[in-house]
Amino acid sequence: MFKRFRNPKDKRDFVTAGVSVGVATAFNAPIGGLLFAFEEVASFWQQSLGWQQVGMSFSAHILAVVPATIIRVAAGLCAVVFTYMNQVGMSFSAHILAVVPATIIGVAAGLCAVVFTYMNVQISRMRIELTGHLKWARMIEPCVLAVIYTTGALVLPLFFPCTPTECYQMK
């Protein structure tokens, strides 16, 4: 039974998945489970394994948190949908509608990351075309960038006047 999974690679992947899911569920931290498995357990990490770990960690986290929350709500122990607990033992509650702005911010941050990555790739390609064949240009480029940055950092404050503030002496 399951002879397809009886090779060393799949055994390693299953152990990594188990550790990831266990840490995600035990500490209420799906990303933490993924990172722990990535740093401590996985000897070989592939992108497909990473996406499988993300799916398993979040699924296990949801399967652990949602029933417990439903039981708490049904028992009248909390009035809102989700209650989060951290390691110190302090709890705070969040309403389900807090997911909407968090989702909007997450999508916006993801789109910004896509634009940043695209621009970074384009700039890298342009740099290779402009300086790839000239050794002296590759050496001068960081110097020119440092001069531009330093000049901007020193000149830019000259355009904005200082704002006086009151000084308070510490007692």
Side-chain angles (χ1 to χ4, degrees), residues 82-117:
F82 293 106
T83 300
Y84 298 98
M85 188 76 122
N86 61 16
Q87 282 77 16
V88 180
M90 298 169 46
S91 65
F92 63 93
S93 298
H95 197 274
I96 189 67
L97 291 179
V99 172
V100 175
T103 303
I104 292 170
I105 291 170
V107 169
L111 291 174
C112 288
V114 168
V115 170
F116 174 80
T117 303

Side-chain angles (χ1 to χ4, degrees), residues 50-97:
W51 285 112
Q52 291 169 358
Q53 300 298 339
V54 168
M56 286 184 275
S57 293
F58 278 98
S59 298
H61 176 72
I62 289 170
L63 287 173
V65 169
V66 170
T69 304
I70 290 172
I71 291 169
R72 276 191 237 124
V73 170
L77 297 176
C78 63
V80 296
V81 176
F82 293 106
T83 300
Y84 298 98
M85 188 76 122
N86 61 16
Q87 282 77 16
V88 180
M90 298 169 46
S91 65
F92 63 93
S93 298
H95 197 274
I96 189 67
L97 291 179

